[in-house]
């Protein structure tokens, strides 16, 4: 006859065994810093790699915070050794595991070439990231990626549930690289303070997802983020024209700026470029080069 104590003990074991299945999502490949999947990781490993990022303090990053859950301190140590080798320009994939996907959401794959100071987006997945069980997601390592050790990051904004940001980072060696990713967009960061947030029940549409060939959009309902997280408006420089007087009109030319010997204008011309309805009033003075 089985005692009630034995039954309770068995139930407790079953509950403990089932707990990991209810966990959130984490990256298994490439193996992240301090992850149980990382063969270089030393105890205490992070067995809560599935937890979302926590807010940093005003003094700076904290354990569990952005970026990379605070594990960039392992760079340059045996624990921070690379866990994958990728050739620039090659097609690769990252793998996620877990079951609590919060109805998916939006993810980004990013690379840092400066030890985590900046992360540049190499692919954006809008909607259905992750999928049930995690899933594998393809991306292309840009041919411009610098050779050497870089940090690959997976970041995720869940569709439903608490407004959170998840991020796992792995050290990867790049071969046959290029000049760098300075022309690629910055990683999207949100839900860590009150400045930028995502809306529940929508897949966030990233303000700077990248070029169309680096975007996968499988969402049926997207929404932009709210708060101070939209990309700054591009600076549009006012064009400068130099007009040359002809018998009939003025045409645009380029010329070095002269050093004027006389600042008093001797002629005022109203200059209109061909095809335009507005122009400039130009004071012409004598000058020498």
């Amino acid at each position: 006859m089985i005692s009630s104590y034995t039954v309770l003990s068995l139930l407790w074991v079953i509950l403990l065994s089932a707990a990991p299945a209810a966990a959130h999502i984490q990256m298994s490949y490439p193996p992240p810093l301090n992850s149980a999947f990382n063969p270089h990781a030393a105890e205490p490993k992070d067995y809560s790699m599935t937890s979302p990022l926590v807010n940093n303090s005003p003094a700076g990053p904290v354990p569990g915070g952005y970026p990379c859950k605070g594990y960039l301190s392992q760079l340059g140590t045996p624990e921070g050794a690379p866990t994958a080798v990728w050739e620039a320009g090659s097609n690769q994939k990252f793998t996620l595991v877990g079951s609590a996907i919060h109805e998916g959401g939006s993810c980004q794959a990013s690379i840092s070439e400066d030890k985590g100071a900046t992360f540049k987006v190499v692919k954006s997945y809008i909607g259905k990231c992750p999928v049930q069980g995690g899933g594998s997601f393809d991306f292309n390592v840009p041919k411009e990626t610098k050779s050497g050790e870089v940090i690959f990051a997976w970041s995720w904004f869940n569709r439903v549930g608490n407004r959170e940001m998840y991020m796992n980072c792995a050290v990867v060696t790049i071969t046959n690289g290029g000049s760098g990713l300075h022309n690629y967009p910055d990683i999207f960061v949100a839900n860590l303070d009150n400045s930028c947030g995502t809306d529940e029940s929508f897949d966030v549409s990233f303000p700077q997802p990248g070029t169309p060939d680096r975007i996968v959009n499988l969402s049926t309902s997207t929404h932009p983020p709210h708060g101070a997280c939209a990309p700054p408006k591009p600076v549009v420089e006012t064009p400068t024209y130099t007009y040359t007087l002809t018998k009939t009109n003025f045409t645009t030319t380029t010329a070095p700026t002269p050093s004027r010997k006389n600042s008093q204008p001797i002629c005022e011309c109203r200059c209109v470029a061909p095809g335009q309805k507005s122009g400039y009033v130009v004071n012409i003075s004598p000058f020498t080069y």
Side-chain angles (χ1 to χ4, degrees):
M1 185 175 181
I2 301 176
S3 67
S4 58
Y5 176 81
T6 302
V7 172
L8 289 175
S9 297
L10 289 173
L11 289 173
W12 180 246
V13 170
I14 293 171
L15 287 173
L16 287 177
S17 300
H24 294 103
I25 299 295
Q26 62 180 310
M27 183 169 70
S28 61
Y29 178 83
L33 290 164
N34 212 40
S35 165
F37 292 104
N38 190 330
H40 307 302
E43 297 294 349
K45 300 176 183 178
D46 186 348
Y47 294 99
S48 298
M49 191 63 71
T50 58
S51 299
L53 298 179
V54 300
N55 291 347
N56 288 330
S57 72
V62 299
Y66 178 88
C68 304
K69 301 196 71 178
Y71 293 132
L72 295 184
S73 59
Q74 295 184 350
L75 297 178
T77 70
E79 291 78 13
T83 54
V85 178
W86 295 339
E87 183 176 10
S90 66
N91 294 322
Q92 299 293 337
K93 64 177 60 179
F94 64 90
T95 302
L96 306 176
V97 294
S99 60
I101 65 172
H102 295 283
E103 295 188 15
S106 297
C107 303
Q108 287 187 314
S110 307
I111 291 177
S112 174
E113 301 171 315
D114 52 13
K115 299 182 178 180
T118 60
F119 285 85
K120 297 297 184 177
V121 177
V122 297
K123 195 156 189 178
S124 293
Y125 311 82
I126 303 172
K128 299 188 183 303
C129 181
V131 296
Q132 192 63 41
S136 291
F137 296 84
D138 299 328
F139 67 97
N140 173 264
V141 180
K143 62 182 180 180
E144 300 94 334
T145 311
K146 291 182 180 179
S147 295
E149 291 186 8
V150 302
I151 304 167
F152 173 80
W154 158 73
S155 53
W156 168 41
F157 299 89
N158 48 306
R159 181 183 175 97
V160 300
N162 294 333
R163 301 295 79 205
E164 297 166 331
M165 176 178 179
Y166 297 79
M167 185 180 193
N168 291 171
C169 299
V171 180
V172 174
T173 297
I174 301 296
T175 62
N176 299 321
S179 59
L181 300 174
H182 49 276
N183 289 329
Y184 282 70
D186 291 328
I187 188 175
F188 176 69
V189 179
N191 299 333
L192 296 182
D193 54 31
N194 294 324
S195 64
C196 176
T198 62
D199 294 321
E200 189 175 10
S201 301
F202 296 94
D203 299 313
V204 63
S205 54
F206 298 115
Q208 300 183 93
T211 55
D213 59 316
R214 294 188 175 274
I215 302 171
V216 175
N217 191 340
L218 300 176
S219 177
T220 58
S221 181
T222 63
H223 203 275
H226 61 262
C229 43
K233 294 182 179 180
V235 177
V236 179
E237 296 184 359
T238 302
T240 301
Y241 299 97
T242 302
Y243 290 92
T244 301
L245 181 63
T246 67
K247 292 182 178 180
T248 57
N249 61 9
F250 292 90
T251 59
T252 59
T253 64
T254 58
T257 302
S259 59
R260 300 189 176 188
K261 300 299 185 180
N262 182 358
S263 61
Q264 295 299 318
I266 63 172
C267 177
E268 181 179 277
C269 301
R270 297 184 179 274
C271 309
V272 179
Q276 301 296 317
K277 295 183 178 180
S278 60
Y280 301 90
V281 175
V282 179
N283 292 321
I284 299 177
S285 302
F287 65 88
T288 58
Y289 287 110

